[in-house]
Amino acid sequence: MYAPERQQEILRLAREGGRVDVLSLAEEFQVTAETVRRDLKALDRAGLVRRVHGGAIPAGRLDFEPDLAERESTAADEKDRIAHAALAELPRTGSVILDAGSTVARLAAALPLESGLTVVTHALPVAARLADHPGIDLHLVGGRVRHRTRAAVDAWALRAYGEIRADVVFLGTNGFSPDGGLTTPDLAEAAVKRALVAAARRVVLLADSAKHAQEHFARFGALADVDLLITDTALTPAARAAIESAGTEVLGV
C-alpha cells in the first residue's frame, strides 16, 4: 500500500472511531510506528487530523478532552519552561488562584519553600502538591469533582470563587485564539474558569503553543481578559502580533 492510500485509510478510521492510535495502526498496516507517525504528521499538516499523545483525532472534534495522564505527558518540556517562567509573576505576598491543568500543576510543584502566599484552588492535583508546603496557606474549593480533570465544578465552586478577590490567577485552557477566545470542552469547567477570571485582579494564562488556534465547545473568555500569556517559542510571530494587538502581553520561553 502506498503512503497516500494508507493515509486515506487512516483518515477514514479516525473519522469513524473518533480517534486512532499509533501502535494499532502500525499493527493493522504492518508498518513501523515511525511510518505511522509520519502519516499522521502529513495528515495534521493538511488540516485533516489533530495529533495528540499516542495518536490523532479528526480535525474539528471540538468536544475532545484528553485525560490527566495524557495531558501530563504532552509538551512536557514546554510546560516545564512555562511553569518556571510563571514563578516570576508570583506576588511577594498576597493571594493567588491556581486553576486546574497540567501546566499550572507544574507551577504548584515549583513554588519555592520560602513562598508565603495564600493559595486557592479547586484542582485536586494542585492541592495535593501544596498540602505539605510549609509556607502556603492553602484553601481548597469544593464541588462535584470531574474525573477527567480532577477539578471541582458546579454551584459550590462558583459560590466560593464569587466570594474572593485574589491578586493573580494562573489560568489554564484547552484552546486560545484572538477570534475564538479561551475555550474548553466542558461547560461546567468553563463556568468555573470564568469565575476565576472574575475573582482576580491580574490574569496570567499558561498555555503551550499547540493550543493556539484550537477551539473547543465551551467559551469562557476573550484573550482581552488575559493580562499576560506565557507560552513557548513555537508561537509564530504573526500569531503573537495578533494576540498582542488585542491587549495581551506575550512572553515566549
Side-chain angles (χ1 to χ4, degrees):
M1 181 180 291
Y2 293 108
E5 296 175 304
R6 186 174 58 249
Q7 290 165 14
Q8 187 64 35
E9 183 65 11
I10 290 172
L11 179 59
R12 182 188 68 80
L13 292 170
R15 287 173 172 170
E16 287 183 356
R19 177 179 179 136
V20 289
D21 69 87
V22 170
L23 296 181
S24 296
L25 291 173
E27 182 177 355
E28 176 161 348
F29 295 111
Q30 293 297 294
V31 295
T32 65
E34 186 56 37
T35 296
V36 172
R37 292 189 185 96
R38 286 197 296 268
D39 288 336
L40 295 179
K41 186 175 183 180
L43 291 168
D44 183 281
R45 285 177 174 173
L48 298 172
V49 303
R50 180 157 64 90
R51 296 177 71 188
V52 297
H53 181 68
I57 60 171
R61 279 289 304 280
L62 301 185
D63 59 339
F64 174 76
E65 185 175 17
D67 61 26
L68 203 59
E70 183 170 315
R71 291 201 312 275
E72 283 285 350
S73 59
T74 301
D77 291 341
E78 291 87 346
K79 290 175 179 179
D80 285 338
R81 295 200 304 272
I82 292 168
H84 180 76
L87 291 172
E89 302 303 318
L90 290 168
R92 283 183 173 272
T93 60
S95 56
V96 302
I97 299 171
L98 297 184
D99 190 13
S102 55
T103 309
V104 179
R106 281 172 161 80
L107 170 60
L111 289 183
L113 288 178
E114 63 270 20
S115 291
L117 297 168
T118 296
V119 175
V120 184
T121 188
H122 61 291
L124 297 184
V126 170
R129 296 186 185 198
L130 293 178
D132 294 325
H133 193 293
I136 295 297
D137 181 16
L138 179 64
H139 296 254
L140 178 59
V141 170
R144 176 177 64 87
V145 176
R146 291 192 68 230
H147 295 299
R148 200 150 192 87
T149 59
R150 307 295 194 272
V153 296
D154 294 343
W156 285 0
L158 296 175
R159 185 163 57 248
Y161 280 122
E163 295 175 351
I164 67 171
R165 187 71 169 160
D167 294 308
V168 59
V169 58
F170 292 92
L171 191 66
T173 187
N174 295 79
F176 68 94
S177 69
D179 294 330
L182 309 172
T183 58
T184 194
D186 184 76
L187 285 169
E189 293 264 7
V192 173
K193 289 177 181 291
R194 195 176 300 115
L196 265 60
V197 171
R201 299 179 183 87
R202 177 171 167 82
V203 178
V204 178
L205 179 65
L206 309 183
D208 60 86
S209 62
K211 295 174 181 176
H212 176 255
Q214 298 295 333
E215 292 186 22
H216 296 264
F217 177 64
R219 189 176 190 270
F220 62 90
L223 271 176
D225 298 325
V226 175
D227 296 292
L228 171 65
L229 164 64
I230 305 180
T231 187
D232 58 78
T233 55
L235 189 70
T236 66
R240 177 172 182 153
I243 294 169
E244 290 179 330
S245 68
T248 299
E249 182 185 355
V250 178
L251 174 62
V253 294

